[in-house]
Amino acid sequence: MEWSIAMKRASLRLGVLVAALSLVVSSCSGGSSSDSRGGGSGTPKSGGTLTEIFGTDPNNLDPSTAPLTADNFARVATPLYDALVYVDPSGKIIPRLAESVTSTDNSTWSVKLRSGLAFSDGEKFDAQALKLNFDRYSKPTATRTVDLRGATTNVLDATTVEVHLPKPNAYFPRALMAQSGMIAAPQTIDQWNAGKRPIPIAAGPFKLSDYQPNTRYTYVRNTTYWNAPRPYLDKLIINIIPQPTQGYNTFRSGQADIVGYSPGLPKVTDELKQAGYQRLNPSFLGGQVFYFNLKKAPTNDVRVRQAIALSINLDEINEQVAEGHDQMADTLFPKDSPFYNPDLKEPLNNLGQAQQLIDSYVAEHGGPVTIELPASGSTQPYAQAIAQQIQRLNNVKVVLDLVDLPHIEALISAGTFSMLYTIYYGVDPADNLYQQLRCGAGRNTIGYCNPKVDQALETGQTTDDLTKRKAAYHTLEEELWKDMPFVLISRVLLQNVAQKYVQGFQTYGGGDIDMSGVWLDK
């Protein structure tokens, strides 16, 4: 048994390690929550500056090419872009920039914009601008808009674009509240195509007036925003503070109005809620996971993956990392999901069986079994706890690397890792699992492939028959726990906490805040 730590970077610049499988914002509006929905009583007041704290900076505001590790892209991008639509947990489409999104066969979709839209510089936002964005998003080089990959489009009239998908997708509207529905002005597209990195011009509630990489985003009100009198705020500031402890302390001191980390510190947010602050924890499928590299030994062998899972005790991790305040998870779907099956549980916490699997592997390949586990920022405590549990196994060596996010991106590109932290979540499995787990899918960077999983995901993606979808997703979960492409740890993800005077504080998607409706009652 051996556990070593290799410090790859002296400065841990970024607070959240996220990897290429992240299920960022493609989920639908809200998600169930037992916490505050953020006030909203009384007549909204215009004016004021709101300061928010967050842990990561994607360093790229292009929806099509933001790094796959930039999991929280929507946090800084949505104030600029808004969304074409929101979709609530029931599947109801809520118009935003688009008036409607309709289809008769789930393959050809009609996206109709509101009349009279304009970008923040006054340029017309019409069907030609929408087509320009969709066509760009459909290219193979667009790593973050894979829902449109291979699609063709044509303009039906001044406000309507017809989208022809390469295969049916009953849940295409959900993609339009994420990157695929973030629309930039044509002049911004031209600059991106020329290899430049401009401050984007879009049609969201705010304009970006200043950007300091890895430090601060400063936005001002977009006076041409379609949903007047929104936004209510004059200015929005997002401060990037990688370490959650520092961020929460800054919030407590009154130097910020909203704070959100993924993963957060459950004990701290519980204390803040008890102290009367507003907290919102949406409920999602999946959660925080450590996924395996199936392209590289030893984790390309299912015995090693199963052994690592069987070495893990979630209760011990909860006590060590969160003093019992985390929401640990051993099922892919939460209890309030229509796809929840209590009989399908992740195989965990059996050291004897785990050791037998390791012994079998070592007998064939030799030992020790070396597990390379990078970690960064607020994910370090989870990685350390996992490493400590794995290294209880004989003939297993865990190398825990403390690195920054650019180094993680390099590791992903090179494939030189065994396990990485990421997050799998959404309100519906079709939100992103379809793009993460299918054989050869655009965001499947770990080399996972199971034809039964592919079929289950195809069924869930192409039909809205709940009975068929339940059966498909039960098959999906059963196969995942056999193959163990990842180890699911806990349900709690992005934890937003707001001061008592913050009103209109509501989230959508992956816990991101609709800043257009936020106002200050002070």
Side-chain angles (χ1 to χ4, degrees):
M1 296 179 290
E2 185 176 349
W3 179 31
S4 62
I5 300 179
M7 178 67 76
K8 297 290 186 182
R9 293 288 189 276
S11 173
L12 300 177
R13 295 189 297 112
L14 299 176
V16 178
L17 164 62
V18 289
L21 299 179
S22 299
L23 302 183
V24 185
V25 293
S26 300
S27 55
C28 65
S29 173
S32 62
S33 172
S34 59
D35 289 328
S36 169
R37 289 299 295 170
S41 60
T43 302
K45 301 176 182 178
S46 294
T49 298
L50 184 141
T51 299
E52 179 183 357
I53 292 173
F54 204 58
T56 56
D57 183 358
N59 290 296
N60 183 347
L61 287 172
D62 181 347
S64 73
T65 63
L68 286 173
T69 48
D71 177 64
N72 295 306
F73 176 82
R75 197 71 170 204
V76 297
T78 302
L80 279 177
Y81 293 103
D82 205 344
L84 287 173
V85 293
Y86 285 169
V87 183
D88 72 12
S90 71
K92 178 183 177 181
I93 296 174
I94 302 170
R96 299 288 292 186
L97 293 166
E99 186 176 276
S100 63
V101 180
T102 57
S103 178
T104 58
D105 61 3
N106 295 332
S107 292
T108 299
W109 289 85
S110 177
V111 182
K112 184 175 181 59
L113 296 171
R114 295 177 182 273
S115 298
L117 289 177
F119 294 105
S120 60
D121 65 345
E123 186 176 5
K124 184 184 296 185
F125 181 177
D126 58 10
Q128 290 292 345
L130 182 60
K131 174 180 168 56
L132 181 67
N133 280 262
F134 279 174
D135 288 349
R136 184 169 182 265
Y137 292 165
S138 69
K139 296 178 180 179
T141 53
T143 57
R144 297 285 281 188
T145 54
V146 293
D147 301 279
L148 278 163
R149 183 166 294 173
T152 59
T153 64
N154 58 284
V155 172
L156 297 184
D157 57 42
T159 59
T160 309
V161 172
E162 189 174 67
V163 179
H164 304 274
L165 300 177
K167 62 175 63 176
N169 181 355
Y171 298 89
F172 175 68
R174 294 186 189 276
L176 300 184
M177 62 180 177
Q179 277 91 324
S180 295
M182 294 181 179
I183 307 302
Q187 66 169 290
T188 297
I189 298 291
D190 290 342
Q191 289 177 294
W192 280 332
N193 290 341
K196 299 178 181 179
R197 297 190 65 182
I199 289 180
I201 295 171
F206 295 92
K207 300 184 291 184
L208 185 61
S209 62
D210 183 62
Y211 169 52
Q212 300 176 35
N214 301 314
T215 303
R216 181 177 296 108
Y217 288 77
T218 302
Y219 308 80
V220 296
R221 181 203 303 262
N222 175 12
T223 57
T224 66
Y225 186 53
W226 67 272
N227 196 14
R230 297 187 179 197
Y232 302 114
L233 300 171
D234 289 331
K235 184 183 288 187
L236 168 65
I237 297 172
I238 298 180
N239 287 328
I240 307 299
I241 301 179
Q243 296 299 334
T245 299
Q246 180 185 355
Y248 286 123
N249 287 340
T250 302
F251 173 81
R252 286 180 188 267
S253 70
Q255 298 178 62
D257 306 299
I258 295 176
V259 60
Y261 282 93
S262 175
L265 300 178
K267 181 176 185 294
V268 174
T269 60
D270 281 352
E271 292 172 349
L272 289 170
K273 182 185 177 184
Q274 291 169 6
Y277 295 96
Q278 303 178 77
R279 183 182 69 174
L280 205 156
N281 289 342
S283 175
F284 299 112
L285 67 89
Q288 300 183 105
V289 311
F290 284 83
Y291 72 88
F292 296 104
N293 184 356
L294 278 69
K295 298 179 181 180
K296 175 179 178 291
T299 47
N300 61 349
D301 192 297
V302 68
R303 292 171 295 181
V304 173
R305 302 194 301 271
Q306 290 172 340
I308 289 174
L310 288 165
S311 73
I312 290 172
N313 184 311
L314 295 181
D315 291 337
E316 290 180 3
I317 293 175
N318 194 6
E319 287 300 323
Q320 179 176 340
V321 176
E323 297 183 39
H325 289 259
D326 210 341
Q327 297 178 17
M328 311 313 284
D330 60 2
T331 61
L332 184 63
F333 303 101
K335 292 182 178 179
D336 59 357
S337 167
F339 310 116
Y340 172 73
N341 185 335
D343 296 326
L344 296 176
K345 291 186 180 294
E346 186 178 22
L348 304 168
N349 198 24
N350 189 327
L351 275 176
Q353 187 178 350
Q355 190 64 61
Q356 290 176 8
L357 290 166
I358 292 295
D359 292 344
S360 173
Y361 179 86
V362 170
E364 292 182 19
H365 301 281
V369 176
T370 300
I371 303 298
E372 298 168 323
L373 175 55
S376 175
S378 60
T379 70
Q380 290 178 33
Y382 288 94
Q384 289 169 337
I386 291 288
Q388 289 172 0
Q389 294 196 350
I390 296 172
Q391 59 96 29
R392 293 181 295 186
L393 297 169
N394 293 322
N395 260 326
V396 174
K397 173 185 177 181
V398 180
V399 179
L400 179 63
D401 292 348
L402 306 181
V403 301
D404 59 13
L405 193 55
H407 191 77
I408 293 298
E409 294 169 7
L411 290 175
I412 293 171
S413 296
T416 52
F417 65 92
S418 302
M419 299 174 67
L420 277 177
Y421 172 91
T422 189
I423 49 179
Y424 281 125
Y425 66 92
V427 176
D428 189 281
D431 293 339
N432 275 290
L433 288 181
Y434 183 82
Q435 299 295 348
Q436 311 300 329
L437 297 175
R438 284 182 304 117
C439 302
R443 295 180 190 167
N444 181 349
T445 63
I446 63 171
Y448 178 62
C449 187
N450 180 329
K452 290 184 179 179
V453 167
D454 282 9
Q455 183 57 56
L457 290 169
E458 288 288 348
T459 299
Q461 182 87 348
T462 57
T463 183
D464 54 7
D465 185 308
L466 183 57
T467 300
K468 292 180 180 178
R469 300 189 82 216
K470 282 182 178 180
Y473 289 137
H474 290 170
T475 297
L476 167 69
E477 187 166 12
E478 184 177 16
E479 292 300 311
L480 289 177
W481 297 149
K482 291 177 184 177
D483 295 341
M484 293 307 300
F486 58 82
V487 179
L488 175 62
I489 302 298
S490 68
R491 198 76 71 192
V492 171
L493 297 165
L494 182 58
Q495 300 176 335
N496 292 298
V497 183
Q499 301 284 355
K500 301 173 185 178
Y501 52 77
V502 176
Q503 301 293 302
F505 173 55
Q506 297 186 357
T507 65
Y508 73 98
D512 298 294
I513 301 169
D514 176 7
M515 298 304 302
S516 72
V518 172
W519 55 283
L520 305 178
D521 190 16
K522 66 174 184 177

